[in-house]
Amino acid sequence: DVKVTQSSRYLVKRTGEKVFLECVQDMDHENMFWYRQDPGLGLRLIYFSYDVKMKEKGDIPEGYSVSREKKERFSLILESASTNQTSMYLCASSGRDRVNSPLHFGNGTRLTVT
Amino acid sequence: GEDVEQSLFLSVREGDSSVINCTYTDSSSTYLYWYKQEPGAGLQLLTYIFSNMDMKQDQRLTVLLNKKDKHLSLRIADTQTGDSAIYFCAEEGAGSYQLTFGKGTKLSVIP
């Protein structure tokens, strides 16, 4: 069974703090994604990566960066957290073989910035 | 850009069938997906269909695809209270690993 693990379910941070959200997958997937989910706005893609050391901006990258030093780990970084980054953050991974390795999500991290 | 539309709410009685509909605009879509999200959790992959198929059945779930009309539906037979959740439709364009998601349909099952 595919497992995508996000390190925290809930996180509370202060405005201006640097925040790290960690995601690890155990299926040797090449592709990893970070989304945020907000009521009324659905899922929005922040960043994605198709390989180690590779990253691409999604639809809303402003205020975020990512790191993919190892294949199994994809980190989302909020350089200076702001209250408008309070949201549910979802990590997902998939393989290049869509039939056998479709997109799977972690359980999410609910981040509150005060 | 690509767009995926779903109605926001659906309410059914326990034991009835639920049908959740979705339309998409990308004619090059290769795979179409249904995900389920329970409160406070991530999205769980339910099923997916390749664009050259028109139907896929998996236990209580039936997916119908009308590629000409770009319409996808998910039928849940004998709906149970545990099926109450938000259901997301998503499509994947040709040559891309990115999915475009609808905003989700909240299914409420009345006992």
Side-chain angles (χ1 to χ4, degrees), chain A residues 16 28 34 38 50 56 61 71 73 75 80 91 95 97 103 106 110-111:
Chain A
D28 203 35
W34 275 106
D38 301 286
Y50 289 161
E56 291 282 349
K71 190 176 186 181
R73 186 180 295 270
S75 304
S80 176
C91 176
D97 175 1
L103 190 73
R110 186 164 291 284
L111 172 67

Side-chain angles (χ1 to χ4, degrees), chain A residues 37-57:
Chain A
Q37 183 180 23
D38 301 286
L41 297 177
L43 275 79
R44 292 181 291 168
L45 182 63
I46 305 171
Y47 265 97
F48 60 98
S49 168
Y50 289 161
D51 204 347
V52 177
K53 306 270 189 192
M54 179 266 185
K55 59 186 177 186
E56 291 282 349
K57 292 179 181 178

Side-chain angles (χ1 to χ4, degrees), chain B residues 1 4 11 13 15 31 40 42-43 47 50 55 83-84 86 89-90 101:
Chain B
V4 178
S11 185
R13 291 205 174 274
Y31 285 89
L43 276 68
T47 187
F50 187 50
M55 187 181 100
D83 295 324
S84 292
I86 301 176
C89 167
F101 288 85

Side-chain angles (χ1 to χ4, degrees), chain A residues 11-38:
Chain A
L11 216 49
V12 179
K13 296 291 181 182
R14 293 198 181 278
T15 302
E17 277 193 81
K18 190 168 185 175
V19 182
F20 292 86
L21 301 183
E22 305 288 348
C23 175
V24 177
Q25 49 92 5
D26 67 356
M27 283 302 292
D28 203 35
H29 282 170
E30 291 82 6
N31 312 318
M32 296 190 75
F33 304 83
W34 275 106
Y35 293 86
R36 63 177 282 178
Q37 183 180 23
D38 301 286

